[in-house]
Amino acid sequence: MSRRCELTGKGPMTGNNVSHAKNRTRRRFLPNLNDVTLQSEALGRAFKLRISAHALRSVDHRGGLDAFLAKAKDADLSANALKIKKDIAKAQAAA
C-alpha cells in the first residue's frame, strides 16, 4: 500500500537529520495517514479511505465528503476517490 493520501495526494518527503555537530544524514518525512470511513450524503453510503489528518480536517471544514470532492482537483485524487467524485456528480445531476 503506498503512503499517499487518497484525497490530497500528499506523499513522503525527504530531508536531513541534522545532529548537534551539524552532521547530515538523509531521512523521510511520512504523511500522517489514517484509515477512515466517510459518509456521502448524495449517495447515502459510506466509503473507506486512507487519508492524511490534514485532509480529514479539510473535509470537515468544507462540510463533508461531497463538498470536498466537488472542489478537489482530479489530478490530486486517487482512482478510487475519482470514481466516488464522478458517482456523486451523477447523483446530484439526477436529483
Side-chain angles (χ1 to χ4, degrees):
M1 190 181 299
S2 74
R3 296 178 187 268
R4 189 158 297 277
C5 175
E6 291 190 61
L7 296 182
T8 60
K10 278 182 182 242
M13 295 176 62
T14 59
N16 290 312
N17 274 333
V18 182
S19 71
H20 186 68
K22 302 279 173 67
N23 297 327
R24 287 169 167 82
T25 55
R26 297 303 282 179
R27 63 161 291 180
R28 286 175 39 150
F29 294 94
L30 299 177
N32 183 11
L33 296 179
N34 299 299
D35 293 315
V36 296
T37 303
L38 297 174
Q39 188 75 27
S40 170
E41 290 85 24
L43 299 176
R45 59 173 288 224
F47 296 96
K48 290 185 98 169
L49 298 169
R50 185 163 185 181
I51 64 173
S52 64
H54 178 271
L56 185 58
R57 287 172 48 111
S58 298
V59 167
D60 287 339
H61 179 74
R62 289 206 184 142
L65 181 63
D66 299 349
F68 181 88
L69 288 175
K71 287 184 109 177
K73 295 178 185 163
D74 290 352
D76 292 339
L77 299 175
S78 68
N80 185 25
L82 200 55
K83 183 181 181 315
I84 296 168
K85 179 178 178 175
K86 292 196 190 311
D87 290 345
I88 290 171
K90 252 186 231 176
Q92 288 175 341

